[in-house]
Amino acid sequence: MENINHEPLALEEPEKNLIREYGTVVNYSKGQIIFSAGDTADRIYLIEKGFVKIYRITTDGRRVTVGSMRSPGQLMGLAETLYHGERTCFAGAINNVTLVVVRKSCFERLLMRHPLIAIKVATTLGVRMREAEAIIQEMVCWQVPGRLAMLLLKMSERAGVETDTGTKITLRLTHEEIACMIGTSRQTVTSLLNMFKQENSISIEEREMYILDIEKLNKWIV
């Protein structure tokens, strides 16, 4: 399961402006593929608006999220671009997305001229490596209800808005997308969400999800 908390050493607005100077703005519609496995990794992306999922496709055609959901303000496509290899994953727009696309050569010049940004990029790569290790542990050690509860809590932290009802998760994901993120089936996600509703830890009203009781969800994370 991906860690969807805000990354440490986040880029400041002046640093984002520098990246914008080196790049080009590109818009992607919901569901559109941004890059594919096998593509040459020759550019990085700054997410201006929207959310992006990183996934692989299994031999039987299933999409499996590989621990990454990128949000506004984050950089994407770093490791393979700096290594200059091929993409090993797909990136898809969860909703309408606006990106600043920077070619590898331009990004390298930016890093040489602005060491603080280079340090933040290195730190981001280190954090994401640790997150990947944590995902493996969670998949092995946690039962599916715990993985789903943790995902909902992390989504509420990143894409949550406080309302009179509870914390509204503004990012809409299908049951299939959630299943890909926690390594289970769509049917299991539907069943577990109904169970969480029955215990009043969440509510779903007109396709909007609300977190009602954090403590109840935390009890599943064992």
Side-chain angles (χ1 to χ4, degrees):
M1 179 176 332
E2 74 271 23
N3 186 322
I4 59 176
N5 293 321
H6 294 291
E7 292 176 325
L9 293 179
L11 293 172
E12 303 291 341
E13 198 62 28
E15 295 164 341
K16 294 177 187 177
N17 286 334
L18 287 170
I19 294 173
R20 292 170 183 131
E21 290 177 9
Y22 282 79
T24 304
V25 176
V26 181
N27 295 303
Y28 291 86
S29 300
K30 178 180 179 180
Q32 192 171 355
I33 294 176
I34 298 165
F35 59 73
S36 301
D39 288 352
T40 300
D42 60 356
R43 65 200 69 185
I44 65 96
Y45 306 83
L46 170 65
I47 302 176
E48 296 276 40
K49 183 179 71 175
F51 291 82
V52 177
K53 61 183 175 182
I54 310 297
Y55 63 92
R56 294 187 179 185
I57 297 179
T58 64
T59 54
D60 59 0
R62 291 183 299 112
R63 294 187 178 189
V64 178
T65 302
V66 289
S68 307
M69 182 166 68
R70 304 296 177 224
S71 62
Q74 292 186 331
L75 293 170
M76 181 177 72
L78 289 169
E80 293 164 331
T81 299
L82 292 173
Y83 174 71
H84 202 65
E86 290 186 349
R87 302 287 185 199
T88 58
C89 301
F90 294 78
I94 295 177
N95 48 13
N96 293 336
V97 172
T98 300
L99 304 173
V100 176
V101 184
V102 184
R103 293 280 182 175
K104 174 183 168 67
S105 58
C106 295
F107 190 59
E108 288 178 337
R109 289 201 301 272
L110 171 66
L111 296 181
M112 287 187 287
R113 293 174 182 174
H114 302 278
L116 182 56
I117 296 179
I119 291 171
K120 290 186 176 183
V121 166
T123 302
T124 295
L125 291 172
V127 168
R128 291 178 181 175
M129 182 182 69
R130 294 292 297 271
E131 288 175 354
E133 295 169 350
I135 292 162
I136 296 172
Q137 180 182 3
E138 291 170 5
M139 287 295 187
V140 171
C141 300
W142 289 8
Q143 298 299 314
V144 178
R147 300 204 297 268
L148 178 56
M150 176 60 80
L151 177 62
L152 296 180
L153 290 172
K154 290 180 177 179
M155 286 174 61
S156 72
E157 292 174 4
R158 172 167 293 186
V161 175
E162 295 301 324
T163 71
D164 292 338
T165 302
T167 304
K168 176 183 175 181
I169 297 177
T170 59
L171 176 62
R172 286 187 177 182
L173 297 175
T174 66
H175 291 190
E176 184 67 33
E177 288 173 323
I178 293 173
C180 291
M181 290 180 177
I182 63 174
T184 189
S185 68
R186 179 185 58 79
Q187 294 86 347
T188 298
V189 168
T190 300
S191 176
L192 289 174
L193 289 175
N194 286 332
M195 183 178 67
F196 289 169
K197 285 167 60 180
Q198 290 171 3
E199 71 171 17
N200 292 319
S201 56
I202 69 169
S203 69
I204 300 176
E205 302 175 8
E206 298 180 351
R207 299 182 62 194
E208 303 283 5
M209 184 181 297
Y210 298 83
I211 304 299
L212 304 181
D213 195 321
I214 292 175
E215 292 305 317
K216 285 182 180 178
L217 288 177
N218 274 324
K219 289 179 180 178
W220 291 102
I221 304 171
V222 293

